[in-house]
Amino acid sequence: MLERWWRYRAPRPHACFADDANYLAHASSFANRHHEALEVFDAIGPYATQVPWSYCGQADELFLRHRRWAYSPPRRRRR
């Protein structure tokens, strides 16, 4: 997913970088692709935007929860 444009973005953030990055982190997280979202959360740092996180609840809580999940090691499925 990230190889489409994220890894080839401009070296310096553009004017809407925070918005774009938060949308990408939100979409990745809600698609249960937390490991891929890790790189995006690294770039965002602590700068969560209200939108899109507020679409699904408390923006700050959701951002922190999904960022925590991105940084946690992947869980193995039990058989």
Side-chain angles (χ1 to χ4, degrees), residues 65-79:
R65 181 183 316 143
H66 284 274
R67 186 174 69 177
R68 195 170 45 249
W69 288 343
Y71 282 96
S72 65
R75 296 180 184 169
R76 296 176 64 146
R77 282 191 163 159
R78 293 182 185 179
R79 292 184 173 216

Side-chain angles (χ1 to χ4, degrees), residues 1-78:
M1 179 170 75
L2 297 179
E3 61 276 351
R4 298 279 178 165
W5 68 274
W6 179 256
R7 294 195 178 117
Y8 298 101
R9 67 192 186 281
R12 293 188 341 194
H14 57 84
C16 295
F17 173 78
D19 294 332
D20 290 348
N22 274 271
Y23 269 102
L24 182 57
H26 182 269
S28 300
S29 295
F30 278 86
N32 204 26
R33 300 177 85 161
H34 298 337
H35 184 69
E36 292 180 23
L38 176 61
E39 188 175 337
V40 183
F41 280 112
D42 277 344
I44 293 170
Y47 304 107
T49 57
Q50 286 295 308
V51 173
W53 300 100
S54 62
Y55 293 155
C56 303
Q58 294 293 330
D60 295 338
E61 288 178 23
L62 285 172
F63 177 82
L64 293 173
R65 181 183 316 143
H66 284 274
R67 186 174 69 177
R68 195 170 45 249
W69 288 343
Y71 282 96
S72 65
R75 296 180 184 169
R76 296 176 64 146
R77 282 191 163 159
R78 293 182 185 179

